[in-house]
Amino acid sequence: MTAPSDTEAPDNDPVDTDSLLSTAQAAIAGARSIEEIRQVAASVSGKRSPLAEASRRLGALEPAARKALGQQIHQARTAIDGLLEQRRNDLEREERSRQMAEARMDLTEFIPGSIPAPAARGHLHLVSQTRDSLEDVFVGMGFEAAEGPEIETDWFNFGALNMPPAHPARSMFDTFYLNLGPPESTVLRTHTSPVQIHLMEEAVASGGLPIHAVMPGRAYRHETEDARHLAVFHQIEGLVVDKGITFADLAGTIQVFTTAYFGPDIHSRLRPAYFPFTEPSAEFEVTCTICHGEGCRTCSQTGWIELGGCGMVDPAVFDAVGIDADEWTGFAFGFGIDRCAQMRHQIADMRALTENDLRFLRQF
Amino acid sequence: MRVPLSWLRDFAPFVGNPADLAAALDDLGLVVEEIEVVGEGLGDVVVARVDSVAAIEGADRIRLVVVDAGSGPVEVVCGAWNFEVGDLVPLAPVGATLPGGFEIGRRKMKGVVSNGMLCSGRELNLSADHEGILRLNEMENVSAGQPLTEALGIEADVIFDIAVEANRPDASSIAGVARDLAARLGLPFAIPDTSVLLGAAAPVVPRIGAPVGTLASVRVDDLELCPRFTATVLTGVEVAPSPAWLSRRLTLAGMRPINNVVDASNYVMLELGQPTHPYDLDGLGGHGLVIRRARPGEAITTLDGVPRSLGRPGPSLGDTGQDCLICDAEGTAVAIGGVMGGASSEIDDATSRVLLEAAYFVPMAIARTSKRLGLRTEASARFERGCDPAGIDLAAGRFCELLAQSAGDAMSVAAGVIDVQGDVPVPLSLTVRPAKVNALLGTEFTSSQIAEMLAPLGISAEPPDGAGDLPLVVTVPTYRPDIRPAPNGEADIAEEVARTYGYARLARRTPSWPQPGRLTIYQRDRRLLREVLCGLGASEAWTSTFVSEFDQVRAGFDAPYIEVTNPLVEAERFLRSSMAPGLLRAVIYNTDRRQDDVRLFEVGTVFRLPRTSAVDPDGGPSAEAPERLSAVFAARGDDAWTAVAAWRTIAEALGIADWAMTDCLPSSRDSAVLHPFRRASLSSIVTGPAGHNGGAGQSTEVGVIGELDPTTVGEFGLLEADGRPRPVGWLDLDIGTLLDRDLVPRRPEEARPITRFPSSDIDLAFVVADSVPAGGVERTLRRSGGELLESVELFDVYRGASVPEGSRSLAFRLRFCALDHTVTDQEVGELRTQCIGAVEREHQARLR
């Protein structure tokens, strides 16, 4: 039977924590492997380490001496544990690097035919399938497809579109601002309409009028997402600037597109609306794809679903880009690609489009 | 905006069914979002007195109630417990039809016959309350036997909930909606001088009290912010509840009645669109008002109890920091002009003298103040759209007239009005060319037809009867600030013509033009890329643009990042520098749902600040936003090789002339996400005209390839069953570069003739140090094989016995052929020697 520790003779030798610490430091620095650092740890801070011995003897000291030495031991232990941890991390990192280096692969060492063909074909995202279909419809109607940046300056997103700073209509566009340049000078585009401005400016600079283009892309609105709204979404914009273009061409284009994309029994109608960048402006609605115009819950019994906005290019916009509004007229329209997908495929909650669930993606 | 049909009828004789009226409003762009029918189906409901209440044997939820509706006792079974004997309650007798078409029949419950139903507020469509029976005890002059509609003073009505566009301040009022609708339906429209509800005999309230100037003063120091300010003073006002009809109209329109003074002000705003503000004159120090620009940092506590600091521009673009402050004559701030009043001069029961403000504030200034303070009120919403400065007098008169109905006989209106005016908008005169209107609309309207369509909107045109293309000079009233001066105003007039005529009646035409429609080569190639990825078993993902700092760091990108000033989720306030975090999370989303064979790709924009301190001309840092294709191969068995196979398929599909896989530069940010020993940089090689024997070409990096760093994969939590990170192949291409045919040339378009002579193969195996990439050996062989070399292919890699440690054997098959003859053994032999020599020399290799 081992004698209980409290019967051992109290060792009154002073404990030199500084020297304990420096000894430990040297030992830790000398460890060259995970195994070695494990051993060092046991010897400098384990149950049988001098530090632990010193701690055990504390109980026999006078309260004042106990407190002073206790603090010293605590400090030494904290320092040693820190060093051990750091060294252990370093060694583990080295070990990982070594393992990684051992796992080196020469990627040019590829043997053709060594990778089996995939079990199943992948699927394009429903949004890009929808975008492709829409582009195809418009290309068939004589449009080109153009794209523009997602980060825009205030001028392209608002100013040139007849919304000078502080214009109340800006509140229609809940905007994400970026910490680039002066406050609110740079935004994530709230619509694809700024691409219109880029196209018109380029056309004016290069003598490239007329313009017949659609502009698909990603846009951003600072709003809480729900079943019908996403903060990050996709729009397609259309712009025609030519001689003799009228509202009749706009209404005709919308009608042809509607039927071509949604099917022969889906029609469109226009009603007055306000957009700062078009005048006259209209909202366009299409026959409800759920009830085919009979009236249902989705269309609030109206038989119609609002799809997008359109109108004749506002003369103020032409003025901003330097196009003579007496020589050229034009129309523009825009609507949500995700919304089209939602309508055509009867997707209850639009957020399904952002989940990337293969069980969803593989349906299309 | 909630618009009761009965209120619209004050202005024009609208008849017909509400659905048709709603359709007409829709066609005008005053979109009806909801039609609500109120007070309908109450015709049969009567007020009844509760005479007795008794338990029903065997029932603990329902009781037998005997009520009397003036024609003797009626026994009704009722499940509500919130009334007692003597209470007055609504009774729907047998045969009544309630709102929603619910028919009341004689029913038997627990052996007891119920001869009708006692109703809750919700059952009558009068309130949302369904806690118990509607109790009528507290109402005045209600007695048993009265029809409920009479007792409550309600009539059936229809409420149109209209979404008014931001450019139509005039339509933010009952009168404005009525004007548009009357114009559309060809009905006469008039703003009555006196309320039709008061009867034609009710006089306009005369302003015959003491001269207004002796009672109050107004000084406008800033006519730029407030170009017109009027003050009307009313004395002897008794603050009381509004008449029932007025309270009811406010309620129907969605406002809560407060007292007759506040209600009259609200009523005028709803009806005419002109906000007014009543002050307790005796709460105004010095009995006067001073309208001035707020000093920087000046404070006011608004009616909602919130202290507001004014006079300093906020961060919003275009904010001048100019706020219109209204103070009393002693300098105490009493209101933010056009936005909200302060508490100190609020109307209360003790008020007897009222100063009514009716003013015009500059719309842009109100918009700025309202936006900066985050304070949008019924008043500011109207002022920022632009109220009618000419409608002020009518609004003030209307207020007096309404208040006279309930403010007691002692009420009197001071003689005269204090009216301070600066530069106030005046009616706009505009020349309109019918040809321009027709050019926009695709119509053939004559001058007189246009004039005729504008007239009912209050827009007069001269001459009214012009033939053909005769230009018109139109005068636009000040309540239509949305119609702009020349040259833009013609488009605005065109819209008014189209609205009155009907958008649906305008012709449609399918346009055509000589230019063909097409996608750009870039767009077509990008589609091809996506199809190729699908063919490789990868599905397309769409991951978020917004990422956290954790994501950015794991993707190998150090700060600074492009940051969103106002993120939706605080942690996700950065624009992604890489699609890797989003795709990894998408993989995990799927593996968590037992979808194990996940390969995903995304084509999207990433956002980066350039490393150099490039500064754009505007002074801000410029952002790079390249379009990239990133693909993650995380199916079982996938690793770097899956990505390599994918890349080779892509290069083949695009027909890239020559490419190479080399070590990643330490500075490459896109490679930081990869396993440091299982990664490579992909580049296109452009060889100069004389370069076929020079070897080294111009190389352009198009992307990186390899296996994701297992540490990163582990940190995201994509682990195998044994807890180790899953090997994930990664391919990340800058498609702007990849698809640029100048930087990345494709194989030549010209057809290369195919030989009709047989070819000859040789196999060469070399022992090569592990540090020498196989691709380098292959390149040497390709170069050394000369024009007769048709193909080189690695077909075996061997490590182990007979090959020294640190080396491996690489076996290549070389195929030779010639266009005009069968290659001879001698030719092949010479080329073989040449190839071996070059490989041994250049790569310290040894033929095995």
Side-chain angles (χ1 to χ4, degrees):
Chain A
M1 194 179 175
T2 318
S5 62
D6 59 352
T7 62
E8 282 176 13
D11 180 351
N12 289 324
D13 288 350
V15 178
D16 182 355
T17 52
D18 284 348
S19 92
L20 281 182
L21 185 56
S22 60
T23 311
Q25 243 164 353
I28 291 166
R32 287 282 170 268
S33 70
I34 303 279
E35 176 53 26
E36 279 180 37
I37 193 73
R38 206 184 56 75
Q39 289 167 5
V40 169
S43 73
V44 300
S45 83
K47 279 184 190 142
R48 294 179 182 283
S49 63
L51 212 54
E53 292 291 328
S55 297
R56 275 196 287 278
R57 289 198 303 269
L58 277 178
L61 298 180
E62 292 299 310
R66 183 164 63 206
K67 191 178 174 196
L69 185 60
Q71 273 177 0
Q72 283 178 35
I73 291 174
H74 176 71
Q75 280 166 6
R77 182 174 286 283
T78 309
I80 289 171
D81 286 349
L83 289 168
L84 279 169
E85 175 71 16
Q86 197 184 342
R87 184 67 188 147
R88 197 179 290 120
N89 287 342
D90 288 350
L91 287 169
E92 276 170 6
R93 193 161 46 242
E94 280 170 25
E95 172 66 14
R96 265 203 308 275
S97 299
R98 200 183 51 74
Q99 284 174 358
M100 278 186 161
E102 275 178 9
R104 168 191 290 279
M105 272 187 187
D106 171 12
L107 298 186
T108 66
E109 212 176 77
F110 181 81
I111 299 174
S114 60
I115 297 291
R121 192 181 155 80
H123 292 247
L124 290 179
H125 196 282
L126 180 58
V127 169
S128 54
Q129 288 189 41
T130 307
R131 171 180 164 161
D132 289 354
S133 310
L134 293 169
E135 282 176 355
D136 292 345
V137 167
F138 285 110
V139 164
M141 292 169 71
F143 287 78
E144 295 182 23
E147 291 160 39
E150 291 171 35
I151 295 181
E152 281 290 8
T153 60
D154 184 80
W155 166 254
F156 283 104
N157 197 73
F158 292 120
L161 290 161
N162 195 26
M163 284 179 280
H167 194 282
R170 288 182 175 217
S171 63
M172 291 159 67
F173 304 91
D174 297 314
T175 310
F176 283 110
Y177 299 100
L178 298 176
N179 288 352
L180 286 174
E184 299 193 1
S185 63
T186 319
V187 304
L188 282 171
R189 66 178 175 192
T190 58
H191 45 185
T192 41
S193 306
V195 189
Q196 288 186 25
I197 303 300
H198 289 291
L199 277 187
M200 288 192 278
E201 285 192 346
E202 283 157 23
V204 167
S206 67
L209 288 171
I211 295 169
H212 320 99
V214 288
M215 294 146 266
R218 195 169 285 189
Y220 301 82
R221 295 269 171 95
H222 191 275
E223 59 184 19
T224 310
E225 302 198 331
D226 61 28
R228 286 159 51 94
H229 297 90
L230 298 174
V232 183
F233 61 101
H234 299 86
Q235 270 191 339
I236 186 164
E237 186 93 3
L239 174 70
V240 169
V241 180
D242 206 336
K243 291 181 178 169
I245 291 293
T246 73
F247 197 85
D249 298 311
L250 167 61
T253 300
I254 300 276
Q255 176 58 38
V256 171
F257 145 72
T258 306
T259 309
Y261 179 73
F262 288 106
D265 54 345
I266 304 295
H267 299 280
S268 65
R269 69 173 188 184
L270 304 182
R271 67 184 187 200
Y274 168 60
F275 303 105
F277 31 91
T278 48
E279 191 78 18
S281 299
E283 236 159 33
F284 69 90
E285 296 176 300
V286 300
T287 316
C288 176
T289 50
I290 308 286
C291 63
H292 290 253
E294 296 293 314
C296 66
R297 220 161 48 91
T298 303
C299 60
S300 310
Q301 309 302 329
T302 61
W304 295 94
I305 298 259
E306 185 186 322
L307 191 60
C310 60
M312 301 301 290
V313 179
D314 195 287
V317 174
F318 276 150
D319 187 50
V321 296
I323 290 177
D324 180 351
D326 273 336
E327 188 183 352
W328 303 89
T329 51
F331 67 75
F333 58 85
F335 55 91
I337 295 175
D338 317 309
R339 184 107 183 81
C340 271
Q342 181 177 39
M343 281 175 61
R344 180 153 157 182
H345 300 281
Q346 301 175 18
I347 295 163
D349 192 327
M350 219 182 232
R351 286 169 288 195
L353 296 173
T354 64
E355 283 171 349
N356 302 309
D357 191 320
L358 283 171
R359 294 167 298 177
F360 179 79
L361 297 176
R362 285 179 180 146
Q363 294 176 40
F364 308 102
Chain B
M1 187 176 63
R2 289 169 57 87
V3 178
L5 176 56
S6 61
W7 203 340
L8 282 176
R9 286 195 178 122
D10 286 4
F11 301 93
F14 297 116
V15 288
N17 118 29
D20 292 342
L21 291 173
L25 287 165
D26 278 352
D27 275 356
L28 285 161
L30 302 170
V31 176
V32 177
E33 299 194 313
E34 203 187 330
I35 304 176
E36 188 187 323
V37 178
V38 294
E40 200 182 47
L42 301 182
D44 301 323
V45 182
V46 291
V47 178
R49 190 183 57 250
V50 179
D51 282 347
S52 70
V53 182
I56 297 173
E57 203 181 314
D60 53 3
R61 296 218 178 131
I62 53 174
R63 296 185 295 178
L64 178 64
V65 183
V66 178
V67 296
D68 190 335
S71 48
V74 179
E75 292 192 339
V76 178
V77 175
C78 183
W81 294 70
N82 69 324
F83 55 88
E84 37 193 79
V85 171
D87 280 356
L88 293 173
V89 293
L91 168 69
V94 171
T97 306
L98 291 184
F102 181 58
E103 235 174 277
I104 305 295
R106 187 168 278 111
R107 292 177 65 196
K108 199 169 184 180
M109 281 174 274
K110 297 276 178 189
V112 180
V113 175
S114 180
N115 297 297
M117 184 173 101
L118 306 183
C119 308
S120 71
R122 194 168 81 189
E123 282 158 348
L124 298 172
N125 201 21
L126 290 172
S127 71
D129 185 22
H130 196 51
E131 287 297 297
I133 299 306
L134 180 68
R135 290 165 72 227
L136 305 164
N137 304 17
E138 283 147 27
M139 304 200 58
E140 289 171 29
N141 306 322
V142 174
S143 57
Q146 241 182 337
L148 183 69
T149 49
E150 186 189 309
L152 298 179
I154 53 176
E155 288 168 50
D157 206 342
V158 174
I159 317 292
F160 299 112
D161 195 353
I162 297 179
V164 180
E165 298 283 10
N167 67 332
R168 290 294 305 278
D170 66 302
S172 298
S173 70
I174 310 286
V177 170
R179 183 190 293 112
D180 259 27
L181 189 57
R184 182 56 185 273
L185 300 176
L187 297 170
F189 167 86
I191 293 184
D193 285 341
T194 55
S195 168
V196 288
L197 288 151
L198 307 177
V204 174
V205 180
R207 294 173 183 256
I208 52 172
V212 67
T214 63
L215 300 171
S217 68
V218 170
R219 196 179 85 219
V220 180
D221 288 348
D222 195 328
L223 284 166
E224 277 173 31
L225 293 177
C226 177
R228 187 175 178 201
F229 193 99
T230 73
T232 299
V233 173
L234 300 86
T235 57
V237 174
E238 188 184 310
V239 177
S242 288
W245 67 266
L246 195 151
S247 297
R248 169 115 182 116
R249 275 197 167 172
L250 287 181
T251 307
L252 289 177
M255 289 192 98
R256 195 166 53 88
I258 294 171
N259 61 48
N260 55 352
V261 178
V262 174
D263 294 350
S265 172
N266 285 336
Y267 186 99
V268 169
M269 175 178 72
L270 293 173
E271 183 177 65
L272 301 174
Q274 170 68 45
T276 59
H277 189 79
Y279 299 88
D280 183 335
L281 181 57
D282 296 307
L284 295 175
H287 297 121
L289 293 173
V290 175
I291 294 87
R292 61 173 173 80
R293 190 170 299 189
R295 289 185 279 267
E298 204 163 359
I300 179 172
T301 297
T302 40
L303 266 176
D304 52 7
V306 179
R308 316 265 179 185
S309 174
L310 305 175
R312 285 205 185 99
S316 281
L317 211 60
D319 186 3
T320 56
Q322 295 174 2
D323 300 314
C324 182
L325 187 66
I326 301 180
C327 302
D328 66 19
E330 291 171 353
T332 304
V334 293
I336 303 171
V339 180
M340 194 181 256
S344 61
S345 52
E346 206 180 342
I347 302 296
D348 61 27
D349 289 349
T351 301
S352 74
R353 303 200 301 165
V354 172
L355 183 154
L356 183 77
E357 162 202 314
Y360 175 76
F361 298 97
V362 166
M364 286 291 261
I366 297 294
R368 287 191 292 254
T369 300
S370 164
K371 185 182 176 200
R372 168 158 34 80
L373 298 179
L375 184 59
R376 197 173 153 81
T377 60
E378 292 279 346
S380 74
R382 286 172 171 81
F383 281 125
E384 75 174 24
R385 291 174 181 188
C387 288
D388 179 13
I392 285 173
D393 311 287
L394 178 65
R398 191 87 168 116
F399 173 88
C400 298
E401 193 180 282
L402 288 169
L403 192 54
Q405 298 305 302
S406 60
D409 296 338
M411 187 192 107
S412 136
V413 183
V417 177
I418 301 176
D419 189 348
V420 185
Q421 290 198 36
D423 197 359
V424 176
V426 294
L428 173 71
S429 182
L430 180 68
T431 302
V432 173
R433 297 162 293 172
K436 183 65 187 174
V437 171
N438 288 326
L440 284 170
L441 299 181
T443 48
E444 290 174 355
F445 294 132
T446 62
S447 181
S448 63
Q449 283 174 317
I450 291 173
E452 198 180 324
M453 284 187 274
L454 294 174
L457 297 171
I459 301 171
S460 62
E462 284 296 327
D465 51 3
D469 260 359
L470 191 70
L472 291 160
V473 176
V474 303
T475 304
V476 182
T478 46
Y479 57 74
R480 291 300 303 270
D482 58 312
I483 299 176
R484 296 164 292 178
N488 301 338
E490 274 182 320
D492 300 330
I493 292 294
E495 179 170 277
E496 293 311 300
V497 170
R499 280 199 321 123
T500 318
Y501 181 74
Y503 276 31
R505 292 168 66 196
L506 292 171
R508 293 178 175 190
R509 170 174 83 174
T510 309
S512 67
W513 40 77
Q515 295 82 0
R518 63 184 160 210
L519 297 178
T520 60
I521 293 172
Y522 179 89
Q523 289 163 339
R524 294 207 315 262
D525 283 346
R526 190 175 51 195
R527 283 192 180 190
L528 173 65
L529 274 181
R530 288 163 44 221
E531 290 293 346
V532 168
L533 263 299
C534 284
L536 293 163
S539 286
E540 190 178 15
W542 160 24
T543 69
S544 180
T545 308
F546 302 120
V547 298
S548 65
E549 188 167 10
F550 175 94
D551 289 346
Q552 300 277 49
V553 170
R554 294 309 176 286
F557 286 81
D558 295 328
Y561 312 117
I562 300 173
E563 189 176 350
V564 178
T565 314
N566 53 336
L568 271 182
V569 178
E570 185 55 31
E572 291 163 13
R573 64 183 190 281
F574 301 109
L575 301 191
R576 61 179 179 191
S577 302
S578 158
M579 289 182 278
L583 284 170
L584 260 181
R585 286 189 204 288
V587 168
I588 292 164
Y589 183 95
N590 281 291
T591 54
D592 283 352
R593 285 158 183 77
R594 305 187 65 194
Q595 300 293 306
D596 223 27
D597 286 328
V598 192
R599 291 177 179 170
L600 294 171
F601 74 96
E602 180 169 6
V603 174
T605 311
V606 295
F607 304 87
R608 298 157 179 192
L609 289 170
R611 274 187 168 154
T612 53
S613 53
V615 167
D616 76 8
D618 300 334
S622 59
E624 291 170 355
E627 188 168 38
R628 297 186 76 92
L629 182 154
S630 298
V632 64
F633 301 93
R636 278 166 300 196
D638 280 356
D639 57 17
W641 295 123
T642 327
V644 173
W647 160 250
R648 295 172 67 102
T649 309
I650 288 169
E652 187 62 28
L654 291 176
I656 294 173
D658 191 10
W659 57 268
M661 218 181 251
T662 52
D663 284 345
C664 294
L665 293 174
S667 61
S668 155
R669 291 192 285 184
D670 291 300
S671 64
V673 75
L674 289 165
H675 188 304
F677 299 96
R678 291 185 173 180
R679 67 183 182 191
S681 158
L682 296 168
S683 1
S684 153
I685 310 290
V686 186
T687 313
H692 67 277
N693 55 3
Q698 197 65 17
S699 84
T700 306
E701 184 178 87
V702 297
V704 296
I705 191 166
E707 205 165 292
L708 289 179
D709 189 323
T711 313
T712 304
V713 173
E715 280 170 343
F716 276 87
L718 180 58
L719 304 173
E720 297 285 26
D722 64 3
R724 284 146 57 113
R726 174 179 290 206
V728 176
W730 177 251
L731 175 63
D732 187 8
L733 302 169
D734 179 333
I735 53 181
T737 307
L738 178 67
L739 300 182
D740 181 329
R741 288 170 187 235
D742 292 329
L743 296 172
V744 183
R746 307 294 175 85
R747 285 192 288 256
E749 282 192 3
E750 304 80 44
R752 191 165 43 84
I754 304 300
T755 180
R756 291 170 36 246
F757 298 92
S759 55
S760 179
D761 290 358
I762 56 166
D763 292 351
L764 296 175
F766 297 96
V767 175
V768 191
D770 282 338
S771 58
V772 174
V777 178
E778 185 180 318
R779 184 160 282 278
T780 301
L781 289 170
R782 206 176 286 287
R783 202 186 60 237
S784 313
E787 288 179 353
L788 296 185
L789 181 65
E790 188 186 73
S791 65
V792 180
E793 200 168 84
L794 179 68
F795 71 92
D796 187 46
V797 179
Y798 174 75
R799 284 182 173 81
S802 86
V803 175
E805 179 79 15
S807 299
R808 81 285 205 205
S809 158
L810 301 173
F812 295 91
R813 178 156 301 156
L814 287 72
R815 175 164 295 177
F816 296 95
C817 63
L819 261 186
D820 51 359
H821 65 282
T822 303
V823 284
T824 64
D825 287 351
Q826 194 194 346
E827 281 174 317
V828 172
E830 281 170 14
L831 288 167
R832 182 176 183 276
T833 312
Q834 200 170 307
C835 287
I836 294 167
V839 170
E840 289 188 335
R841 197 167 53 247
E842 290 176 23
H843 302 289
Q844 285 79 51
R846 175 174 62 75
L847 185 70
R848 192 161 170 241

